[in-house]
Amino acid sequence: MAIPAFNHFLDLAELSSDQFWGLLRLAKRLKDERREKGANEPILAGKSLALLFQKPSLRTRVSFEMGMQHLGGYAFYLSPAEVGLGSRESAADVARVLSGYVDGIMARVFAHQDVTDLAAWGSVPVINGLSDFSHPCQALTDIFTAWEVLGDLEDRTIAYVGDGANNVATSLMMAAGKVGLNVRIVSPAGYMPTAAVVEASGAEVSVTDDLDGVQGVDILYTDVWTSMGQEAEREERLAVLSPYQINQSVLERTGNARALVMHCLPAHRGEEITDDVADGSASILFPQAHNRLHAQKAILAHLLGGVPLI
Ligand code: CP
Ligand code: NVA
């Protein structure tokens, strides 16, 4: 039976496991196609994507621009100062204006409500390129990377160490729930996910403040302790989260000589992760970053190109 299509990519809670797997398989097809033939079919010829940013970016901006180009389409960057989403103009008005010009909107915002408003008021697909609540493009990429490296993900376990309440941790749990990957959140009190997020993820999630939670896991994952927009809390966060650094000793504490290390990047090296681990043999940080391109091409092919999920 065909997998139902979806119209926006705002949050993984809105996607079924079948739709998520459909995206993973499409990402693999597009990645393989480019590797084998040197290029993708121009399935987005004549299509355009606006990249709307309220926050800085390297990976998200460049991977979406290049992803559109690989598929024959066109993308352009709109800076925070230019658009003034929510200050110069409301998300509702921005969405209605852009919908007359482009075939899709990718937005990186502070308030998650802004991406939902863009989708509600516009008439073109909207992709969440990170909000304070979630980072679904990252999590799709992370699972795609884990699937590539580990193969079957059923009964594998990933430990997310650090700020377990942030956008990356939230989306990682949601994504894990789609593929049967078990999650351990290892975070201090005050930085643990809410019961509502754990419940919504549908994943097998355990939450602890004890670093022994990393024992036996297949993957260690971390992200910055101070996310964009939380800069005023930096000192307080450093003090509470510093015992949760991923270093050689935490890697050894997994007891798994084949354990892998992931990080969505950018990293604050020397804070949440040490150089020796980030650059060591367990690290898959850069293949993970590169996969943003392939995972997002699947989202674009489906939303803007109508490529069915199979
Ligand atoms: N991981 C990620 O989203 O990176 P950027 O902030 O550089 O886009
Ligand atoms: N949690 C980080 C992720 C950056 C890609 C942030 O929101 O700043």
Side-chain angles (χ1 to χ4, degrees), residues 55 59-60 108 130-132 135 138 160 166-168 223-224 226-229 264-266 292:
K55 295 175 177 175
R59 281 144 290 272
T60 304
R108 166 166 287 194
L130 180 148
S131 69
D132 285 348
H135 197 0
Q138 183 66 53
Y160 178 98
N166 80 5
N167 44 12
V168 167
D223 180 18
V224 292
T226 306
S227 287
M228 293 180 277
C264 58
L265 299 176
R292 290 290 298 277

Side-chain angles (χ1 to χ4, degrees), residues 119-171:
W121 288 94
S123 53
V124 296
V126 176
I127 299 168
N128 174 7
L130 180 148
S131 69
D132 285 348
F133 175 64
S134 62
H135 197 0
C137 295
Q138 183 66 53
L140 177 69
T141 303
D142 297 338
I143 297 298
F144 180 68
T145 307
W147 180 45
E148 264 188 340
V149 178
L150 295 176
D152 194 5
L153 295 174
E154 281 286 338
D155 292 328
R156 298 284 198 159
T157 304
I158 188 166
Y160 178 98
V161 181
D163 179 6
N166 80 5
N167 44 12
V168 167
T170 296
S171 288

Side-chain angles (χ1 to χ4, degrees), residues 155-204:
D155 292 328
R156 298 284 198 159
T157 304
I158 188 166
Y160 178 98
V161 181
D163 179 6
N166 80 5
N167 44 12
V168 167
T170 296
S171 288
L172 188 66
M173 282 182 271
M174 299 276 177
K178 310 290 179 210
V179 297
L181 179 66
N182 303 321
V183 184
R184 304 221 193 116
I185 301 288
V186 183
S187 305
Y191 296 87
M192 291 171 171
T194 62
V197 165
V198 170
E199 170 84 29
S201 76
E204 205 51 63

Side-chain angles (χ1 to χ4, degrees), residues 13 24 33 71 90 111 115 120 134 138 163 169 172 190 208-209 223-224 273 279 291 303 310:
L24 293 175
E33 178 184 56
L71 298 175
S90 71
V115 286
S134 62
Q138 183 66 53
D163 179 6
L172 188 66
T208 177
D209 62 0
D223 180 18
V224 292
I273 192 164
D279 299 329
N291 275 337
L303 287 181
I310 50 177

Side-chain angles (χ1 to χ4, degrees), residues 64-76:
F64 270 108
E65 282 199 20
M66 294 314 297
M68 282 299 284
Q69 190 171 104
H70 289 176
L71 298 175
Y74 174 73
F76 60 93

